[in-house]
Structures are given as C-alpha cells and as structure tokens.
Amino acid sequence: MIDRPRRLRQSAAMRALVAETRVHPSDLMLPIFIKEGLEHPKPITGMPGVFQNTELGFLDSCQQALDQGIKSVMLFAIPLITDEIGSEAYNPAGVLTKAVRAAKARFGDELVIVADLCLDEFTSHGHCGVLDSKGYVDNDETLKLYQKMAVVLADAGADLLGLSGMMDNQVASVREALDHNNHNTGIMAYAAKYASSFYGPFRNAVESNLEGNRKSYQQDYRNRLEASNEIQLDLAQGADLIMVKPALSYLDIISDASAISNKPVAAYLVSGELAMIEAASQQGWINREAAIAEAVHSIKRAGASIICTYWAIEIAKAINNDEY
Ligand code: PBG
C-alpha cells in the first residue's frame, strides 16, 4: 500500500498544516436585530443567545464584532407601526434608517454596514412586497418601493444593501435608482433564496404576522438549475455580491454559485439552522462548539467566502484563541 492517507492525520499540527479550509474573522458577517422603542434587550424564542436590541444598544454588538476582527454587520429592524405598503421601510426617520445612520456615525469606514432591503418587517401582512387585489405579491409595484427604500438607506450611509425579497428584476431596479441618485452603494443580492422552514425562528425575531408562505417568490427546494438561473440574472443586473440562503441544506447550491460567479459568494446560516444545533446541544446530544465549527467550515469549504451567522462573534473569538 503506497498511499496511506492516515500519515497526514497523525497529529493536530500535521492536520493544521494540511487543512484545506480556514475561517478568518473577516469572513464573517453578523446579523443584528433592532426593535423600535425597546427599552431592554429581549431574547428571541428559538434563537438562544440572540436578542432583539434597543435602538442604541445594537452599537455594542457592532463594537464586540469589530473587536474580534469582524468587518461587517447586517441590520434588520422591527418598526412599531406596520401597514399594507410597508411605509416605515422608506421613511427617512424610520428605525432601520436611523440605525444605519447611527452605526455609520460611530464606526465610519471601519465596519461595513449592510442594511436588509425587504418589506417583510414593515408590512402588516408580513409579505416581502405589496399585495394585489387577489392577495398575490405584486412584483413590479414592489420594485418601486424597493427603489425608494434603497435611496433612503443609501442616503443614511449604508455600504451594502441586502436585497432579500426575491422579486424579479430587483437588482437592476435598485441599481438604477441608486445610480440615478449618485449612490455608489453596493448590492448584495440574495440570488438563490429558498422558501425554507429553517426561517422559523427568524419570524419570531422580527415579530412577523405572515400567514401562508413565500412560495410564490422564493425558490423551491427541489430545484438546483433554477438557482443557477437566478444567480446569472442577478450578476447580469449588476449584483456586487451574491448570497445563497439557507446554507447547510444548500451546500450544493453554494458550490454551484462559487463555480458560476465572478463576484464574491456569501451564504447565510439561518435561524433554524442555529436552532437545531442549539436545541440538540441543550439536550446533551451533540457537542455544541464542535458542531458550530463543523458547520461554518463546511460552508466555507463548499465555496462561500462570506458567512453570515448569528454566532459570528463567538466563532471569531474561537479563531482568535486558536481553537479552530
Ligand atoms: C426576509 C428574511 C428572512 C430571513 C432573512 N431575511 C425570512 C424570510 O424570508 O422568510 C431569514 C433569516 C433567518 O432565518 O435567519 N427579509
């Protein structure tokens, strides 16, 4: 036997020497929830260790991320008032816009501020766009509102906009609105976003009133070619980065994305994926830290160069302590 692969597995040092995948704190993006009018941070059901933050308290989370070498945060905001057309999303004095402005004032260019660009937190029905008379999400009417929201968030200083609504032509529409207003803000396009049950706890985080599902605009988990099409469309429309979401049940899609894309690929380890690992480890059924490390490395190995995860600070600390 000439080839004995176990030779390179004999010690931790040897394994580190030949490791093909390394995660660095700057690969990580931290999603943060901000709730309008909240006085104290509030734990989120199904997301142990993750909180709704107050309108200023979230800046501490940004600072903790920065202290560990993380370079970006993604902001989600929950307004006090919702309506049919998500008006607070494009209110220049709205909760998300204010948060972007506060983060930019505090951190300047040290931290990349990504603002989620979608209407679902802001609509009374919880859909990612406006509804037509039959209750169907109206693509092209929604695009007009995304354009307004994009300009308001760019005015506030967002570095990147996270287009997560899965409307057709959203990247081109937002790019056009930004350019028209002389904004060079980048677009992180959720190119391949699946209608997923793994978003369950996120709906608690943003207090969503959604009834039904998002299957008429998010992708069908049975499809792989469809993701390639979505990715190509977004790249052709001017996406600066593309996102695959969720991550762990979609490693094949991440792999396809990294093969097709000439722009950076991000993947989002979503709320339900976090919940599964947290719940199993609370039962004593799996080793929590080892499972988190394995999950995050698998996403990088599949081809994502950016990993969006609620565990970002904890993972960065572990890397900085040489535990990975
Ligand atoms: C919608 C949005 C969702 C998530 C991020 N942005 C939920 C959805 O599409 O239903 C889910 C993230 C997570 O589960 O962690 N703007």
Side-chain angles (χ1 to χ4, degrees), residues 85-102:
I85 54 171
S87 304
E88 284 302 294
Y90 35 92
N91 173 1
V95 56
L96 181 57
T97 323
K98 279 195 295 189
V100 169
R101 220 177 279 125

Side-chain angles (χ1 to χ4, degrees), residues 118 120 164 193 199 202-203 214 218 245 270-271 310:
C118 189
D120 64 320
S164 63
K193 177 173 177 181
Y199 305 147
F202 179 93
R203 307 261 163 95
R214 304 197 197 285
Q218 297 179 349
K245 179 179 175 183
V270 300
S271 59
Y310 304 99

